């Protein structure tokens, strides 16, 4: 159940809130399936299929946002509208105008929507009230921001802020590559991306490629800055750090998997995995912030 991505936000450490308080705050924002005329909907669901919106192990909390979206391609609407327009032209003696076509498509959408297929997806949120972290398992920052808006809507005066560090990730990663010297506790892996900031927006990517210091320095000297860098923390977790402070492609390494118990039932295994994940990632985030010069307080 490890998160694949971390969009990281800051909370007070410790944050004095209980799972019951969060549960009560998010109850009005529970997920409700699309009605016949809804194109999409979203809301909070129980992460483990019970009636609890907040799943807790120790003091660590897990939330889950559910999405449902109807699949009604524009090409289908246009195809039906074209056929209806021909019938309408024969009936009224002239082609439908723009207003008529717009109204026709709106009627067709309303007619087809109840029969449209729907897809569901979900995004998990980890709240660490002990160390003051909130992380969303989303690759895109925009999705994480939408989830944060839902939390702020439900939890009155939620004290969450962006995570601000003293040294920008792009600048720090570029320095690590230029000096061929990763920060303590981290190693640089074989994937990276360097981008120029000029009009050309030129990029160079290394994938599963040994990073030769001289090659990298040449690109940096040419005006490129590191925007993505694959790294490993403490020989335990690998990840990709981006210039926007997102942690992506998170993967637990063998040294952690070796400690996984094999005799647990599903619930015990989930609890053990969640405990292991939150414990390791809380330390990783703290070390990463330290490597980036610590937090920058506005």
């Amino acid at each position: 159940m490890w998160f694949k991505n971390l969009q990281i936000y800051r909370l007070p450490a410790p944050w004095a809130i209980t799972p019951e308080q969060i549960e009560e705050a998010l109850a009005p924002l529970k997920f409700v399936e699309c009605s016949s005329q809804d194109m999409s909907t979203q809301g909070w669901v129980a992460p483990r299929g019970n009636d609890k919106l907040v799943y807790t192990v120790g003091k660590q909390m897990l939330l889950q946002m559910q999405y449902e979206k109807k699949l009604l391609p524009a090409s289908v609407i246009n195809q039906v509208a074209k056929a209806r327009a021909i019938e309408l032209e024969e009936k009224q003696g002239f082609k439908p105008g723009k207003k008529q076509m717009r109204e026709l498509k709106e009627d067709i959408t309303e007619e087809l929507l109840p029969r449209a297929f729907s897809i569901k997806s979900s995004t998990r949120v980890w709240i660490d009230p002990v160390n003051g972290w909130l992380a969303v398992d989303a690759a895109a920052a925009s999705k994480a921001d939408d989830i944060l808006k839902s939390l702020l809507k439900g939890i009155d005066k939620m004290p969450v802020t962006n995570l601000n560090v003293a040294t920008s990730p792009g600048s720090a990663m570029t320095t690590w590559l230029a000096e061929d010297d990763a920060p303590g506790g981290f190693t640089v892996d074989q994937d990276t991306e360097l981008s120029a900031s000029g009009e050309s927006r030129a990029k160079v990517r290394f994938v599963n490629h040994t990073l030769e210091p001289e090659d990298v320095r040449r690109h940096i000297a040419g005006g490129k800055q590191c925007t993505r860098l694959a790294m490993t923390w403490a020989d335990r977790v690998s990840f990709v750090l981006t210039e926007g402070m997102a942690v992506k492609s998170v993967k637990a390494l063998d040294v952690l998997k070796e400690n996984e118990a094999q005799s647990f039932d599903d619930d015990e295994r989930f609890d053990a995995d969640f405990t292991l994940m939150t414990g390791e990632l809380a330390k990783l985030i703290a070390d990463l912030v330290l490597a980036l010069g610590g937090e920058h307080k506005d």
Side-chain angles (χ1 to χ4, degrees), residues 7-239:
Q7 301 286 346
I8 308 167
Y9 299 90
R10 203 54 165 121
L11 292 167
W15 183 30
I17 193 169
T18 65
E20 291 76 19
Q21 289 173 315
I22 296 179
E23 185 92 28
E24 182 180 357
L26 298 184
L29 304 175
K30 280 186 178 180
F31 174 77
V32 178
E33 293 192 349
C34 286
S35 69
S36 61
Q37 294 303 312
D38 286 332
M39 195 68 187
S40 64
T41 186
Q42 69 180 59
W44 297 101
V45 296
R48 291 294 290 160
N50 52 23
D51 60 346
K52 296 291 186 180
L53 294 181
V54 184
Y55 187 82
T56 60
V57 180
K59 294 184 178 181
Q60 303 299 308
M61 306 181 197
L62 183 67
L63 311 177
Q64 185 166 314
M65 174 67 78
Q66 179 104 342
Y67 305 90
E68 183 179 9
K69 183 178 181 180
K70 294 281 185 70
L71 298 179
L72 188 56
S75 58
V76 173
I77 297 174
N78 291 335
Q79 184 178 358
V80 177
K82 185 176 180 181
R84 298 274 178 89
I86 293 174
E87 295 175 1
L88 190 59
E89 181 180 356
E90 292 175 351
K91 185 180 295 185
Q92 64 187 16
F94 56 90
K95 290 184 177 181
K98 289 183 178 179
K99 182 180 179 182
Q100 273 189 306
M101 286 301 299
R102 183 172 63 252
E103 293 174 347
L104 192 59
K105 289 182 179 180
E106 290 174 354
D107 291 341
I108 291 169
T109 299
E110 187 174 338
E111 177 187 332
L112 296 179
L113 203 52
R115 291 180 281 162
F117 289 105
S118 64
I119 56 172
K120 291 182 179 178
S121 61
S122 61
T123 301
R124 286 175 166 172
V125 180
W126 161 42
I127 295 177
D128 177 357
V130 178
N131 299 294
W133 303 120
L134 187 152
V136 181
D137 186 2
S142 57
K143 175 168 281 191
D145 288 343
D146 286 342
I147 287 178
L148 197 63
K149 289 176 184 177
S150 179
L151 286 171
L152 291 169
K153 182 178 179 181
I155 303 173
D156 186 41
K157 297 180 180 179
M158 185 178 182
V160 62
T161 61
N162 290 322
L163 174 59
N164 297 311
V165 289
T167 305
S168 71
S171 177
M173 292 187 294
T174 302
T175 299
W176 299 337
L177 289 176
E179 297 179 355
D180 191 24
D181 185 23
F186 294 86
T187 56
V188 171
D189 297 335
Q190 294 184 319
D191 292 10
T192 190
E193 177 181 280
L194 297 107
S195 301
S197 58
E199 294 182 1
S200 68
R201 301 298 296 172
K203 293 183 179 181
V204 58
R205 290 177 180 152
F206 296 87
V207 180
N208 294 326
H209 189 285
T210 301
L211 304 180
E212 298 294 341
E214 291 304 319
D215 291 341
V216 173
R217 290 187 188 114
R218 185 173 67 253
H219 287 293
I220 293 173
K224 294 185 180 69
Q225 186 174 45
C226 185
T227 53
R228 295 171 61 91
L229 183 63
M231 305 181 73
T232 293
W233 169 76
D235 296 326
R236 299 168 75 83
V237 180
S238 65
F239 64 95

Side-chain angles (χ1 to χ4, degrees), residues 236-298:
R236 299 168 75 83
V237 180
S238 65
F239 64 95
V240 173
L241 178 63
T242 75
E243 62 180 340
M245 196 57 203
V247 177
K248 299 187 175 184
S249 301
V250 178
K251 184 179 180 182
L253 300 183
D254 290 342
V255 66
L256 291 179
K257 293 179 180 179
E258 290 172 359
N259 295 325
E260 292 180 351
Q262 302 299 318
S263 60
F264 290 161
D265 61 29
D266 287 344
D267 289 337
E268 290 174 330
R269 184 182 300 280
F270 188 91
D271 286 358
D273 286 347
F274 186 57
T275 299
L276 179 64
M277 182 195 80
T278 55
E280 295 296 323
L281 294 186
K283 296 174 186 174
L284 185 157
I285 295 171
D287 285 354
L288 185 58
V289 169
L290 186 62
L292 295 170
E295 292 187 64
H296 175 69
K297 301 293 185 181
D298 293 332

